[in-house]
Amino acid sequence: MLKDIVGVRLKGANFENASDIFLLNSCNGNGKKLKSSKGTLLYGRNGAGKSTLAKAIKKAKGDVQESIEDAEFLDINNSRVMLTDEEKSHIFVFDEEYVDKNIKFRESGLNTIIMLGHQAELVEQIELAQKELKKSKTDYEEQEAVVKEHEKIDCEKSPKYYIKKMRFALQGDECWAGKDKLIKGNRQNTSVRDDTYKKFVSLSTSKTRDQLILEFDETLKELRRAQQGDAVISTKVPVLNMKYNEKEIIKLLRKKIEKPELSERECYLLELVQSGKTLELNNMINVFSNEKISMCPTCMQPVSEKYKHNLVQSIQKVLNREVEEHQADLGAFLMEEVKIDFSPFFKVTDRTELCMKLLSQINTAIKTNNLIIQRKIDNPYTPCEQNIYCISNLLVQLREQMVNLEVERKDYNKKITATKPIIDRLTKINDLIAHFDIQESYLQYLVCEVQLKKDREKLFEKQQIYINAKQHLDELEAKQKNVKVALSIINSNLSYIFFSNERFKIDYRDDNYILLSNGKPVQPSQISQGERNIIGLCYFFASILKNQEELKAYTKEYLLLIDDPVSSFDIENKTGIMSFLRYQLGKFLLGNEDTRAIIMTHDLLTYYDAEKIFKELIEANKTKYGYKSTYQCYELKNQTLINFPYNGRQEYTELIKIIYEFALGNAVEYELIIGNIMRQVLEAFSTFEYKKGIDEVSTDQNILNVLPEEIYKNYFENLMYRLILNNGSHRLNQTKSMSDMNFFSVISTSEKRRTAKEILCFIYLLNQRHLLSHLESCTDVELNLSKWCNEIKSRAGA
């Protein structure tokens, strides 16, 4: 029976040797049973082997686990526990592998989940729901027509109508866009968008529009005088890095390649090479090397394989490797013409014309040299004695002239009068004129926007009524198909965790399960790993009840293992997950006195919360069954279980260490809840030391007088109170149970780290020995605390 299981013998993965792990051992050293065990709480750091234990339990119940060589359940006498198939089916393990296996997403949603339950007669309810749906759809469509009409750009009740009017008021030559063109010297009026008006609506001035017009005209004349027809040349003269090697080119042109001894046909082929038809010969090689060619594509005469082979060899003999390499070397010196635009620099100096003349000479020489090189490429066997143009000297001259031209461009720009302040002043005046031009249309726009918002809200209400009516009908029809049992339980579980009926919900549509987030379908890529784990946990408990009546299902005996119910992805939903876990474990552990549960976690805060769950359920179990059971607290370390009892002071110490590590820049996994951790430590410290709440300690003058310097007193009384106590997001009872996961979420990471340092310094300055005793296992504590205290003094004195 399941209640006989006290451990598992396993080998594989982290456990290289066969090991006996007694997770549910409630016996003394002599093997005598002391109390009935309801479960085990196991803490283990990542990599300690918790996942391996979960896989071993699945292996022992008959599941395939390739990483586990062997696994079997053990009883109190270290003997193997033999289970029936029915008993094995009552062992359930939730871990990462379970989520990967059972929660898969596709566009249509989750795989089918069917649970049987009682089904009521739904015909009359469906008929009534269909009538309600028809009426709500009509109301929704009528209101939708009203909204669409008020959204049309030609409707005088539409905000878009007045946006169009404001655009028109800004676009003309005599309007904002035309004046902005004059200011910036553009060819066309400045573009006006639908949201351009927003730049002007909040402006204000004591001047009238007429006064602004006169001021604009006078300032524009001032700008034209300043510009004096000139403008800064922003285009830089490019840098010329081109090189040309005439010596190497002449060497290649003069090079003679010996002709091979050739047959009559090969001599003919050579003549083709010398006449510049090398490309045609290469094409012939490609054609007659093709096994599928049996006819000459030119004369259409049949050709034998032997003829083709001999012809290809003859061509390759003429076009030998030396010729190919020589042609390639020559081809490397074929150059494109140099393109440089000197037009931006005409008004700088006459040097521009000289640069253009040199550039023209260079390009002419390049074209001539390219022709000579190409002729040698086409006739590689015959040396070329023709002289080429010397381009490198021309390049040196052009490079020097361009460097001087850039210097003259910079000197020219320095002489241009600075016009930016005048342009800025003109732009401001133009914006103020635009404010007057759109003011009336903007006020009418605001009135229409308010009315349209009301119409849309009314549409949303009618849409929700229509959606709810359709959803109600879908749910009734789903019940007829015997699927509502699964949806009801899973959605109830999701609502329990997220504290919302809309945050996540599974709907049944067109024979598919659709996942909704805040009422809208979501794609698989939009679901986070944490949300996927939560859906998996909800499905896990729902699947245990599969094909069973809910009231009877909890009365059966189960062995449940939950591996890391709160992962790093779920930290923001920790409160909901732990509350949900308490609710579900309560149903199972109290439903049958032999049902047991194992919770494994790598997170200390989850460990402490889970311990509270076990403690509450043990008391409830005693009330129900008349005897007190127990539970075990272990740590998995070096593939061995060691006692890990719950201790309030130990929790307080661990929380202080977390704050210290976070202040150092570590413990990043606690960032989302570090505010609650700091709050809880402060509450515990103030209660232990002064029997006061932290809100009293931070303002009690007698306590603050304990601080060694007056500068600390003022700092902590003012800044600490504002940062820590006056946030408004916490409540005392929630803080003590660490359930307010949103505390401290509104400030940056750097501010959180600074606050962590300040809290530690606050406690340190009030009771140095107290804090050091809790941080004795940490390094450089006094050095860091002293440094942080000096930083506070520096800030307070600034």
Side-chain angles (χ1 to χ4, degrees):
M1 297 180 67
L2 295 181
K3 66 179 180 180
D4 296 328
I5 297 174
V6 297
V8 61
R9 178 173 294 154
L10 73 153
K11 182 180 180 182
N14 299 55
F15 296 81
E16 296 181 0
N17 302 316
S19 302
D20 294 346
I21 304 297
F22 293 98
L23 286 164
L24 297 165
N25 190 2
S26 58
C27 302
N28 61 16
N30 299 321
K32 181 179 179 181
K33 189 171 183 178
L34 299 176
K35 294 179 180 179
S36 173
S37 174
K38 290 298 288 181
T40 294
L41 179 57
L42 179 63
Y43 170 77
R45 299 181 184 274
N46 288 329
K50 302 189 305 302
S51 298
T52 302
L53 277 179
K55 292 179 180 179
I57 289 177
K58 288 187 283 187
K59 175 87 170 181
K61 69 174 286 227
D63 293 350
V64 176
Q65 294 290 322
E66 295 181 357
S67 62
I68 305 300
E69 297 179 32
D70 189 29
E72 59 183 17
F73 292 120
L74 301 177
D75 63 13
I76 194 172
N77 299 314
N78 285 20
S79 299
R80 182 178 181 181
V81 178
M82 305 299 295
L83 300 176
T84 66
D85 290 341
E86 173 68 18
E87 289 170 335
K88 290 179 181 178
S89 70
H90 284 201
I91 299 175
F92 292 89
V93 176
F94 175 81
D95 58 1
E96 184 177 350
E97 187 178 82
Y98 177 89
V99 176
D100 290 338
K101 180 180 178 181
N102 290 282
I103 308 302
K104 299 183 184 297
F105 295 105
R106 58 176 186 239
E107 286 193 13
S108 60
L110 290 169
N111 289 327
T112 303
I113 304 171
I114 300 178
M115 294 181 65
L116 301 177
H118 297 292
Q119 185 176 25
E121 184 58 46
L122 301 173
V123 176
E124 293 181 0
Q125 295 182 41
I126 289 175
E127 291 177 351
L128 179 61
Q130 288 172 338
K131 293 178 181 178
E132 292 174 349
L133 177 62
K134 183 177 180 180
K135 181 181 181 303
S136 62
K137 183 179 180 181
T138 301
D139 293 342
Y140 167 65
E141 290 175 346
E142 289 176 353
Q143 183 62 26
E144 186 179 41
V146 171
V147 171
K148 286 182 178 179
E149 178 65 23
H150 290 177
E151 288 177 339
K152 292 181 179 179
I153 196 169
D154 56 352
C155 175
E156 291 188 3
K157 294 184 178 181
S158 171
K160 293 180 181 178
Y161 176 84
Y162 295 100
I163 289 177
K164 181 180 69 173
K165 288 191 67 174
M166 287 187 283
R167 284 192 64 172
F168 183 80
L170 297 171
Q171 283 176 330
D173 291 339
E174 299 301 319
C175 302
W176 175 85
K179 290 183 173 65
D180 196 62
K181 176 194 71 173
L182 295 175
I183 296 170
K184 297 176 179 177
N186 296 333
R187 292 184 178 180
Q188 296 179 341
N189 288 356
T190 303
S191 174
V192 177
R193 302 187 306 272
D194 282 347
D195 62 347
T196 303
Y197 73 91
K198 295 180 180 179
K199 296 168 54 176
F200 317 118
V201 293
S202 61
L203 300 179
S204 62
T205 178
S206 59
K207 298 178 182 179
T208 66
R209 185 181 186 280
D210 292 338
Q211 289 174 328
L212 291 171
I213 292 291
L214 292 174
E215 185 178 354
F216 179 89
D217 292 338
E218 291 300 319
T219 309
L220 183 61
K221 292 177 182 177
E222 180 183 351
L223 175 63
R224 294 294 179 257
R225 289 193 297 270
Q227 290 174 333
Q228 296 178 350
D230 293 327
V232 171
I233 301 175
S234 58
T235 303
K236 294 182 178 180
V237 179
V239 178
L240 183 64
N241 294 320
M242 179 180 171
K243 295 182 180 180
Y244 200 86
N245 191 339
E246 290 90 348
K247 291 183 179 179
E248 185 63 24
I249 294 173
I250 293 172
K251 179 181 177 182
L252 290 172
L253 292 174
R254 306 289 190 267
K255 182 176 181 179
K256 180 179 180 181
I257 298 178
E258 295 297 331
K259 297 179 182 178
E261 295 184 5
L262 306 173
S263 65
E264 182 179 347
R265 178 170 61 184
E266 291 166 346
C267 288
Y268 170 73
L269 296 174
L270 181 59
E271 289 177 3
L272 293 178
V273 173
Q274 292 173 336
S275 62
K277 296 185 177 181
T278 304
L279 180 61
E280 286 85 342
L281 291 180
N282 283 318
N283 290 335
M284 290 173 65
I285 292 176
N286 294 331
V287 171
F288 289 104
S289 296
N290 190 340
E291 296 179 356
K292 297 181 179 179
I293 299 296
S294 60
M295 183 176 293
C296 176
T298 303
C299 66
M300 304 306 293
Q301 295 293 322
V303 290
S304 65
E305 290 296 323
K306 182 177 180 181
Y307 177 85
K308 290 163 53 180
H309 177 72
N310 291 338
L311 178 59
V312 169
Q313 282 190 329
S314 295
I315 297 172
Q316 290 176 339
K317 187 175 182 181
V318 173
L319 298 176
N320 58 44
R321 184 171 185 81
E322 183 180 5
V323 171
E324 293 177 354
E325 291 177 354
H326 181 59
Q327 290 174 326
D329 292 340
L330 286 165
F333 287 99
L334 291 174
M335 298 186 62
E336 295 182 357
E337 294 183 25
V338 182
K339 295 181 179 180
I340 301 175
D341 183 13
F342 288 105
S343 60
F345 316 109
F346 279 136
K347 60 183 177 181
V348 176
T349 175
D350 294 338
R351 192 183 303 276
T352 304
E353 293 184 1
L354 177 58
C355 290
M356 293 180 66
K357 181 178 179 181
L358 287 170
L359 179 62
S360 177
Q361 293 174 0
I362 290 170
N363 286 332
T364 300
I366 287 175
K367 286 192 288 186
T368 302
N369 289 356
N370 283 350
L371 291 174
I372 296 172
I373 294 170
Q374 187 60 49
R375 282 198 292 270
K376 175 61 173 170
I377 291 173
D378 294 337
N379 188 4
Y381 293 106
T382 304
C384 177
E385 300 298 333
Q386 186 175 354
N387 292 325
I388 63 173
Y389 282 100
C390 182
I391 296 176
S392 58
N393 290 337
L394 293 172
L395 289 172
V396 171
Q397 295 177 48
L398 179 58
R399 189 179 299 113
E400 292 176 353
Q401 294 301 325
M402 290 173 68
V403 170
N404 292 333
L405 181 60
E406 173 62 12
V407 173
E408 292 175 357
R409 182 191 72 86
K410 292 179 179 179
D411 291 340
Y412 174 85
N413 286 343
K414 292 178 182 178
K415 298 175 182 179
I416 301 299
T417 303
T419 59
K420 188 177 183 306
I422 306 175
I423 292 174
D424 290 345
R425 193 161 74 249
L426 267 174
T427 300
K428 184 177 180 180
I429 297 170
N430 191 27
D431 290 351
L432 289 171
I433 295 172
H435 169 77
F436 284 100
D437 292 341
I438 66 170
Q439 189 173 26
E440 182 178 348
S441 294
Y442 177 69
L443 294 176
Q444 292 174 312
Y445 160 81
L446 292 177
V447 172
C448 292
E449 183 71 13
V450 170
Q451 183 58 47
L452 181 59
K453 181 179 179 182
K454 293 180 180 178
D455 291 337
R456 285 172 175 165
E457 289 173 350
K458 188 175 181 180
L459 175 62
F460 178 78
E461 292 173 0
K462 293 185 179 296
Q463 183 186 38
Q464 289 302 115
I465 294 173
Y466 168 67
I467 291 173
N468 292 337
K470 190 175 186 306
Q471 181 178 353
H472 179 56
L473 179 60
D474 290 342
E475 289 175 352
L476 293 174
E477 291 175 342
K479 285 182 180 180
Q480 282 187 317
K481 297 178 181 180
N482 201 27
V483 297
K484 186 62 181 72
V485 174
L487 290 182
S488 175
I489 293 176
I490 294 175
N491 285 333
S492 176
N493 292 345
L494 290 172
S495 299
Y496 199 103
I497 290 177
F498 288 109
F499 304 107
S500 170
N501 294 326
E502 296 297 326
R503 177 63 180 85
F504 266 110
K505 193 173 185 179
I506 300 173
D507 201 5
Y508 187 76
R509 299 178 182 177
D510 300 326
D511 297 326
N512 285 310
Y513 289 93
I514 306 297
L515 184 61
L516 304 177
S517 177
N518 295 318
K520 297 180 180 180
V522 291
Q523 295 296 317
S525 60
Q526 297 173 313
I527 309 301
S528 71
Q529 183 63 41
E531 291 163 344
R532 183 169 176 262
N533 290 344
I534 289 173
I535 295 172
L537 189 63
C538 293
Y539 174 69
F540 172 75
F541 283 105
S543 65
I544 299 175
L545 308 179
K546 184 177 180 180
N547 297 327
Q548 301 184 76
E549 292 185 16
E550 184 175 354
L551 296 178
K552 293 182 179 180
Y554 295 115
T555 63
K556 298 180 180 180
E557 180 186 6
Y558 298 95
L559 175 59
L560 309 178
L561 186 144
I562 314 293
D563 183 14
D564 268 332
V566 181
S567 72
S568 58
F569 302 103
D570 307 320
I571 195 69
E572 69 272 19
N573 297 304
K574 179 175 182 253
T575 302
I577 294 173
M578 296 308 295
S579 299
F580 172 69
L581 199 60
R582 164 64 178 84
Y583 171 74
Q584 289 291 349
L585 290 181
K587 283 182 171 292
F588 283 99
L589 294 182
L590 299 179
N592 184 292
E593 59 182 321
D594 293 323
T595 292
R596 293 174 295 173
I598 301 170
I599 300 178
M600 303 192 298
T601 181
H602 72 284
D603 179 66
L604 276 174
L605 299 181
T606 301
Y607 179 94
Y608 296 137
D609 285 346
E611 199 279 339
K612 294 173 185 177
I613 291 175
F614 269 121
K615 182 179 292 185
E616 292 173 3
L617 292 178
I618 289 301
E619 291 299 321
N621 188 77
K622 179 180 178 182
T623 302
K624 182 171 182 178
Y625 294 106
Y627 64 89
K628 188 172 183 179
S629 54
T630 186
Y631 62 94
Q632 285 72 47
C633 294
Y634 292 124
E635 179 180 4
L636 181 61
K637 194 172 185 180
N638 299 324
Q639 291 77 51
T640 304
L641 294 183
I642 60 176
N643 288 327
F644 195 70
Y646 175 85
N647 181 286
R649 182 172 179 81
Q650 181 182 13
E651 177 186 12
Y652 177 72
T653 299
E654 291 297 332
L655 295 182
I656 290 181
K657 290 179 180 178
I658 290 173
I659 298 175
Y660 181 72
E661 289 297 322
F662 186 83
L664 291 173
N666 305 320
V668 294
E669 66 272 19
Y670 294 102
E671 180 173 357
L672 289 175
I673 58 169
I674 193 64
N676 275 341
I677 296 176
M678 291 189 282
R679 170 74 184 193
Q680 191 170 6
V681 165
L682 284 172
E683 289 285 358
F685 172 76
S686 59
T687 302
F688 295 155
E689 293 292 322
Y690 304 108
K691 295 183 180 181
K692 294 178 179 290
I694 188 58
D695 54 334
E696 298 175 286
V697 171
S698 63
T699 57
D700 190 308
Q701 295 302 312
N702 293 327
I703 296 175
L704 292 176
N705 286 334
V706 177
L707 295 171
E709 298 182 39
E710 185 70 19
I711 195 170
Y712 286 131
K713 174 183 174 182
N714 295 333
Y715 186 84
F716 287 111
E717 183 178 9
N718 296 318
L719 184 60
M720 288 288 290
Y721 186 81
R722 176 172 62 84
L723 288 177
I724 304 302
L725 304 175
N726 203 27
N727 182 277
S729 68
H730 61 266
R731 293 177 292 278
L732 180 60
N733 292 334
Q734 284 184 324
T735 303
K736 289 183 176 178
S737 63
M738 301 188 69
S739 62
D740 183 7
M741 304 306 293
N742 293 321
F743 177 66
F744 233 56
S745 62
V746 296
I747 67 173
S748 66
T749 300
S750 61
E751 289 175 319
K752 292 176 185 176
R753 296 201 188 285
R754 193 187 78 179
T755 304
K757 296 175 183 178
E758 291 170 342
I759 287 176
L760 293 174
C761 290
F762 184 61
I763 297 175
Y764 177 72
L765 293 170
L766 288 175
N767 192 331
Q768 179 177 336
R769 181 176 297 178
H770 171 86
L771 186 63
L772 293 178
S773 66
H774 287 284
L775 294 176
E776 61 183 357
S777 62
C778 301
T779 59
D780 299 327
V781 176
E782 290 191 72
L783 179 64
N784 287 326
L785 287 169
S786 180
K787 174 185 174 183
W788 297 340
C789 287
N790 288 332
E791 290 175 354
I792 291 174
K793 290 173 65 175
S794 177
R795 283 195 295 272

